[in-house]
Amino acid sequence: MGLLHTLYEGLLPQLVIFDLDGTLLDSVPDLAAAVDQMLARRGREPAGVERVKDWVGNGSHVLVRRALAGSLDHSAVDNAEADRAHQDFLHAYAGEHRLTAVYPGVQALLDWLQGQGVAMAVATNKPERFVAPLLQEKGLGGYFSWLVGGDTLPAQKPDPIALNWIMQQAGRKVEETLFVGDSRNDVLAARAAGMKVVAVSYGYNHGEPIAAQNPDLLVDSLDALI
């Protein structure tokens, strides 16, 4: 019996919702490149991959504000400047994402869930315009019935609105649903929705171990769930 069967008392969830960045895709290299282009337009030093890795997870607006501040605390950043910088970031991030890669173990789990007839969805804080093209570009476009971006609904994770909306669309109950993510926001969103949550150890969580958030399961690779 696999880990998912164990988690659901011998059964399987009927709906699995995934986070995107840091869970399915290692997208920080391309995000960092776009951040650094935005900073370069302002005569600023590049942030680099390691710093950007700690800043992602709360949507592109917050990422840009953190980059302008040079830290997680972006409260002193001017709103008008942040809006201009955000547009520059979006322009830089558009197009191909050659540095973004699918994490090991992802394809195997998605294939297995699809073979088991489990419905799948993505709930991410990334702007919606990038979600479907990025999944398609990386060969993951055919797995997911519902895609929710950070600007699709009135709120984003850790608010549970995206998870609740997907459950409603899928016609599934919370006890039939699983969320899979890599960050504190993902665990908080799942808890707020009342569903079980699996966390991956390899993602982006502002430099903090995700184990501290006490997910129902913690795995080093998604194919461990099979």
Side-chain angles (χ1 to χ4, degrees):
M1 184 181 294
L3 286 179
L4 276 190
H5 284 97
T6 301
L7 188 60
Y8 285 84
E9 301 178 350
L11 303 174
L12 285 176
Q14 295 304 299
L15 171 64
V16 179
I17 307 171
F18 293 90
D19 173 55
L20 184 59
D21 298 322
T23 301
L24 299 178
L25 299 178
D26 182 9
S27 53
V28 156
D30 279 312
L31 291 169
V35 164
D36 287 346
Q37 286 185 49
M38 176 274 292
L39 291 172
R41 286 178 61 90
R42 285 154 179 80
R44 306 270 294 273
E45 292 295 316
V49 169
E50 289 307 312
R51 297 179 79 193
V52 171
K53 184 176 181 179
D54 289 344
W55 295 339
V56 300
N58 297 95
S60 59
H61 285 277
V62 174
L63 171 59
V64 168
R65 292 181 66 92
R66 287 170 173 162
L68 292 173
S71 73
L72 285 170
D73 181 6
H74 55 86
S75 57
V77 173
D78 178 75
N79 290 335
E81 172 60 14
D83 288 342
R84 291 190 294 269
H86 185 244
Q87 292 306 310
D88 290 339
F89 167 81
L90 294 177
H91 179 77
Y93 189 65
E96 292 186 358
H97 304 90
R98 297 177 182 177
L99 303 177
T100 296
V102 180
Y103 283 111
V106 167
Q107 194 93 43
L109 177 64
L110 298 183
D111 284 338
W112 183 77
L113 289 173
Q114 191 174 65
Q116 298 294 317
V118 176
M120 290 178 276
V122 168
T124 173
N125 285 346
K126 182 187 288 293
E128 181 184 356
R129 75 185 81 172
F130 298 119
V131 179
L134 186 56
L135 287 169
Q136 193 68 34
E137 184 181 334
K138 299 304 170 182
L140 303 181
Y143 293 100
F144 306 104
S145 299
W146 304 275
L147 304 174
V148 178
D151 52 359
T152 304
L153 298 169
Q156 60 183 28
K157 297 175 297 181
D159 191 288
I161 186 173
L163 309 188
N164 290 330
W165 183 87
I166 291 169
M167 281 192 292
Q168 182 181 39
Q169 299 303 306
R172 291 297 178 183
K173 300 176 181 179
V174 68
E175 57 267 24
E176 300 175 309
T177 305
L178 173 69
F179 189 60
V180 181
D182 69 302
S183 73
R184 179 175 181 269
N185 282 336
D186 295 327
V187 176
L188 290 175
R191 296 294 186 222
M195 66 182 60
K196 292 179 180 178
V197 57
V198 170
V200 297
S201 62
Y202 52 74
Y204 320 137
N205 187 41
H206 312 307
E208 301 294 332
I210 189 60
Q213 300 301 319
N214 297 312
D216 294 291
L217 278 177
L218 178 63
V219 295
D220 297 326
S221 178
L222 283 182
D223 56 2
L225 294 174
I226 297 174

